């Protein structure tokens, strides 16, 4: 009896299922079942279900209390395989894959509709044509052949399995929601913003700050309009290129203080104000719609709700249920540790295997104990800051850790030359990762005048070769970190399945588990074990370790 079955919902509400052999072809007859949940529940021996799309199938199963151990997501696999083959951006639906297999016209992918607050997620609705099970199996078998033809088939198969596991985690997190106290949120807003005025205008504190800004300039200025602020500074004889905080802070003018305070509170009001609370918090849970692998690098995004940018002041509203706790875990210096693992640099691997504070250890070896310089050097190597002091720091880093710097240097050269660049497991960067790729990936377009933040997107400055090289340099590290994080989530999900604990939040290097108080210690241990297992599975036998800073709290804001 095979433990891998294919599944395809039918138009009449039933579902077709069939066992699969090692080659991906049917190992038995197709069977029609009247009920999706029943078809899965009645086959507990199946350890992996092959289906078109996790967002189409799994939320329906979760709604009936049915959980699956593993799955294979056809459309997610198609995205990874197309990228690996240098065809990033081609339609990735199962229907498109079938058309390519049969030599027919390839249909475009249906657009992803933005989430409507308070409504059923469009991620959970069928998107694209359903395929008969026989066609779905044909696509799956062809994907198995393409996996075997990959540069590193074992790694590519692991990446696909990890991505499919991530899709399961995302669906479960979407259903669970993040515990959220609406009353606490309102108290925070009232304290920060003051009372609201009739008609939906700015709350009292914003109106007061707007008056202070105007008084400082000697004329009426709208602080929410950058053009108006820039014009006011120009009339005051001060030239600034933007209203970004880092630039405004350097200006000596009485409007700066209230302007910066206005900008901070305005973002809270617009992004997480009363309207946001009404739209996104239901039944004591914030329910964003996590989308696994939503960017070129494999990082997650959300389809509405802004879950990945919750200000610390608003985190006061994230409160565990009575008798429960939030286990908040941050990976320590994750990307430098990933660089050590993928570059196989002996010195950096030794540091990443022993040191709790990697930057301090690097500084002791290469920067005379100057931790700040060491951190700048390591991040400069990853993010491509190679001018001025960055060039000097990089030279010192290269002398002490030559293989690590050479690894990202080679990735940058490949990016500049338009070659394919891959993560350790085989996720592939488009050969021309420019602004178009950034927009498609859902990544922000950075202001070229602003220092890059961690995780900056492909369109950082322009589509020229140097920009592609900088992105490729970062991609091999950030993307490999995303691969590792997927395996971490998969391992942690499996452990939590044996407890009442639930995964409720994930972003890049941070995970939150909501659990009964008595399970908190076990969850902390499970996170450490999952990180260790993910490191071995992703990067093989290396001395590199991936420690977490973990806090067990009742309120998210108390974790940091």
């Amino acid at each position: 009896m095979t433990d891998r079955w294919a599944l395809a919902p039918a138009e009449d509400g039933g579902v077709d299922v069939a066992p699969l052999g090692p080659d991906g072809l049917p190992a038995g007859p197709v069977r029609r079942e009247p009920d999706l949940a029943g078809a899965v529940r009645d086959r507990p021996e199946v350890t992996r279900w092959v289906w078109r799309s996790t967002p189409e199938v799994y939320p329906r199963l979760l709604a009936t209390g049915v959980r699956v151990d593993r799955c294979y997501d056809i459309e997610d696999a198609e995205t990874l395989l197309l990228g690996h083959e240098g065809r990033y951006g081609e339609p990735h639906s199962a229907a498109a894959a079938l058309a390519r297999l049969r030599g027919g016209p390839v249909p475009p992918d249906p657009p992803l509709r933005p989430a409507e607050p308070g409504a059923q997620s469009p991620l959970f609705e069928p998107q694209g044509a359903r395929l008969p099970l026989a066609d779905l199996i044909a696509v799956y078998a062809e994907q198995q052949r393409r996996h075997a033809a990959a540069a590193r088939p074992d790694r590519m198969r692991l990446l696909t399995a990890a991505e499919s596991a991530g899709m399961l985690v995302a669906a479960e997190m979407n259903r669970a929601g993040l515990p959220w106290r609406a009353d606490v949120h309102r108290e925070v807003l009232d304290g920060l913003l003051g009372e609201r005025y009739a008609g939906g205008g700015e709350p009292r504190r914003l109106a007061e700050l707007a008056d202070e800004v105007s008084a400082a300039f000697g004329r009426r200025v709208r602080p929410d309009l950058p053009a108006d602020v820039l014009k006011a500074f120009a009339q005051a004889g001060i030239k600034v290129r933007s209203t970004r905080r880092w630039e405004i802070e350097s200006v000596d003018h009485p409007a700066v203080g209230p302007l910066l305070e206005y900008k901070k509170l305005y973002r809270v009001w617009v992004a997480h104000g009363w309207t946001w609370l009404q739209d996104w918090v239901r039944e004591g849970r914030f329910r964003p719609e996590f989308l696994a692998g939503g960017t070129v690098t494999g990082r997650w995004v959300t389809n509405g709700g802004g879950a990945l940018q919750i200000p610390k002041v608003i985190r006061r509203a994230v409160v565990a249920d009575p008798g429960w706790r939030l286990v908040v875990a941050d990976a320590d210096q994750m990307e430098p540790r990933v660089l050590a693992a993928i570059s196989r640099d002996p010195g950096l691997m030794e540091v990443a295997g022993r040191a709790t504070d990697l930057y301090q250890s690097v500084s002791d070896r290469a920067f005379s104990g100057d931790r700040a310089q060491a951190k700048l050097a390591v991040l400069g190597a990853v993010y491509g800051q190679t001018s001025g002091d960055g060039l000097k720091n990089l030279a010192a880093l290269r002398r002490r850790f030559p293989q690590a710097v050479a690894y990202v240097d080679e990735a940058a050269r490949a990016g500049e030359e338009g070659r394919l660049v891959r993560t350790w497991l085989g996720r592939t960067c488009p050969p021309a990762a420019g602004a178009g790729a950034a927009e498609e990936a859902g990544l922000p377009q950075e202001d070229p005048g602003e220092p890059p933040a961690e995780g900056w997107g492909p369109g950082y400055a322009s589509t020229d070769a140097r920009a592609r090289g900088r992105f490729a340099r970062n991609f091999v590290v950030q993307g490999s970190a995303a691969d590792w994080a997927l395996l971490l989530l998969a391992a942690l999900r499996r452990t939590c399945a044996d407890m009442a604990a639930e995964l409720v939040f994930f972003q890049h290097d941070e995970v939150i588990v909501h659990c009964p108080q008595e399970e908190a210690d076990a969850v902390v241990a499970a996170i450490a074990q999952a990180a260790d297992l993910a490191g071995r599975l992703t990067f093989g036998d290396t001395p590199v370790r991936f420690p977490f800073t973990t806090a067990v709290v009742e309120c998210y804001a108390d974790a940091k």
Side-chain angles (χ1 to χ4, degrees):
M1 175 66 69
T2 178
D3 62 356
R4 181 171 304 199
W5 282 58
L7 176 156
E11 294 294 338
D12 63 1
V15 58
D16 291 328
V17 296
L20 299 174
D23 56 1
L25 295 173
V30 174
R31 306 176 189 179
R32 171 63 60 90
E33 300 286 352
D35 174 64
L36 171 64
V40 174
R41 189 184 292 112
D42 293 344
R43 293 174 173 83
E45 74 281 0
V46 177
T47 59
R48 191 183 304 272
W49 287 95
V50 176
W51 51 46
R52 179 181 76 87
S53 167
T54 302
E56 176 196 21
V57 176
Y58 198 39
R60 294 167 57 189
L61 290 172
L62 291 174
T64 61
V66 176
R67 181 185 180 278
V68 302
D69 187 33
R70 298 176 181 177
C71 78
Y72 178 100
D73 189 303
I74 293 281
E75 295 190 341
D76 194 55
E78 188 68 15
T79 300
L80 293 173
L81 287 166
L82 287 171
H84 195 84
E85 295 159 355
R87 302 160 66 186
Y88 181 87
E90 291 189 24
H92 70 274
S93 70
L98 181 67
R100 280 189 289 266
L101 176 61
R102 295 181 173 172
V106 178
D109 290 335
L112 176 65
R113 298 192 304 275
E116 295 182 5
Q120 172 73 19
S121 167
L123 298 178
F124 299 162
E125 299 172 5
Q127 304 242 340
R130 286 174 170 165
L131 293 188
L133 185 61
D135 290 342
L136 199 69
I137 291 174
V139 171
Y140 174 68
E142 174 64 9
Q143 287 184 346
Q144 300 314 293
R145 184 197 66 76
R146 291 161 67 191
H147 275 92
R152 293 294 300 266
D154 54 337
R155 295 185 188 178
M156 193 64 193
R157 291 190 185 100
L158 179 59
L159 174 62
T160 302
E163 278 277 287
S164 290
M167 300 289 281
L168 295 176
V169 173
E172 291 168 0
M173 286 171 49
N174 290 339
R175 180 165 182 81
L178 184 64
W180 201 280
R181 287 276 302 275
D183 58 331
V184 174
H185 191 149
R186 293 189 187 95
E187 289 175 4
V188 170
L189 293 178
D190 291 343
L192 288 175
L193 303 173
E195 62 268 20
R196 290 176 286 175
Y197 297 129
E202 292 181 340
R204 174 181 54 78
R205 183 56 184 150
L206 285 179
E208 291 173 350
L209 288 168
D211 288 342
E212 291 180 33
V213 170
S214 297
F217 281 119
R219 72 172 184 84
R220 193 66 191 168
V221 174
R222 287 278 303 277
D224 59 323
L225 299 179
D228 204 15
V229 174
L230 293 177
K231 181 179 178 181
F233 274 121
Q235 290 176 343
I238 299 171
K239 184 177 181 180
V240 291
R241 294 178 299 171
S242 74
T243 59
R244 293 181 180 270
R245 177 184 53 79
W246 65 270
E247 186 168 0
I248 296 299
E249 281 180 335
S250 64
V251 172
D252 182 15
H253 190 277
V256 169
L259 177 61
L260 292 176
E261 181 68 9
Y262 178 95
K263 287 168 63 66
K264 180 179 71 174
L265 295 182
Y266 184 84
R267 282 193 295 269
V268 171
W269 178 52
V270 172
H272 293 93
W274 293 279
T275 300
W276 179 93
L277 178 61
Q278 179 179 347
D279 287 344
W280 291 102
V281 176
R282 305 186 300 278
E283 300 174 350
R285 292 290 187 273
F286 168 35
R287 303 184 184 277
E289 289 151 3
F290 288 95
L291 180 58
T295 68
V296 171
T297 60
R299 281 189 173 186
W300 288 26
V301 297
T302 57
N303 183 34
L308 304 185
Q309 296 178 331
I310 304 175
K312 183 168 184 179
V313 67
I314 298 298
R315 293 176 188 176
R316 297 180 201 168
V318 182
V319 180
D321 291 344
W324 287 53
R325 294 293 183 268
L326 299 172
V327 180
V328 182
D330 275 307
D332 296 331
Q333 303 155 340
M334 179 177 67
E335 290 182 348
R337 295 176 187 277
V338 168
L339 175 58
I342 62 180
S343 69
R344 295 304 205 254
D345 185 288
L348 195 56
M349 283 197 298
E350 180 186 0
V351 168
R354 295 184 179 180
T356 301
D357 187 340
L358 181 146
Y359 296 129
Q360 185 60 56
S361 186
V362 168
S363 73
D364 293 341
R365 294 167 183 244
F367 295 91
S368 303
D370 189 334
R371 185 184 185 279
Q373 288 296 101
K375 183 175 181 179
L376 287 173
V378 173
L379 295 181
V382 173
Y383 294 105
Q385 296 298 103
T386 55
S387 60
D389 287 342
L391 185 61
K392 180 180 66 175
N393 292 336
L394 188 62
L397 196 71
R398 182 178 284 112
R399 287 192 296 271
R400 188 62 184 83
F401 307 107
Q403 284 183 220
V405 178
Y407 193 94
V408 289
D409 282 348
E410 170 55 27
R413 280 192 295 271
E416 289 177 4
E417 295 167 6
R419 291 184 276 136
L420 295 177
V421 178
R422 307 191 198 282
T423 67
W424 186 257
L425 292 185
R427 189 187 306 274
T428 305
C429 176
E439 182 177 358
E440 182 175 348
L443 297 175
Q445 302 295 297
E446 300 284 351
D447 185 327
E450 183 163 12
E454 185 174 352
W456 58 277
Y460 167 65
S462 67
T463 58
D464 63 13
R466 288 188 61 193
R468 293 196 299 272
R470 284 197 299 273
F471 179 69
R473 171 188 293 273
N474 175 238
F475 176 87
V476 294
V477 180
Q478 188 184 107
S480 295
D483 299 346
W484 168 83
L486 284 170
L487 288 166
L488 163 80
L489 290 173
L492 184 57
R493 171 182 182 261
R494 176 164 292 188
T495 302
C496 288
D498 297 327
M499 301 187 285
E502 53 187 6
L503 276 161
V504 293
F505 186 79
F506 168 69
Q507 63 167 354
H508 178 45
D509 59 357
E510 181 183 55
V511 63
I512 301 179
V513 179
H514 185 226
C515 68
Q517 182 176 354
E518 59 270 19
E519 290 183 353
D521 290 343
V523 169
V524 171
I527 291 170
Q529 293 165 4
D532 186 56
L533 177 60
R536 295 197 307 273
L537 290 174
T538 308
F539 306 115
D541 186 17
T542 77
V544 178
R545 294 294 174 261
F546 296 90
F548 274 81
T549 296
T550 307
V552 178
V553 296
E554 293 186 59
C555 175
Y556 184 21
D558 295 334
K560 300 179 184 179

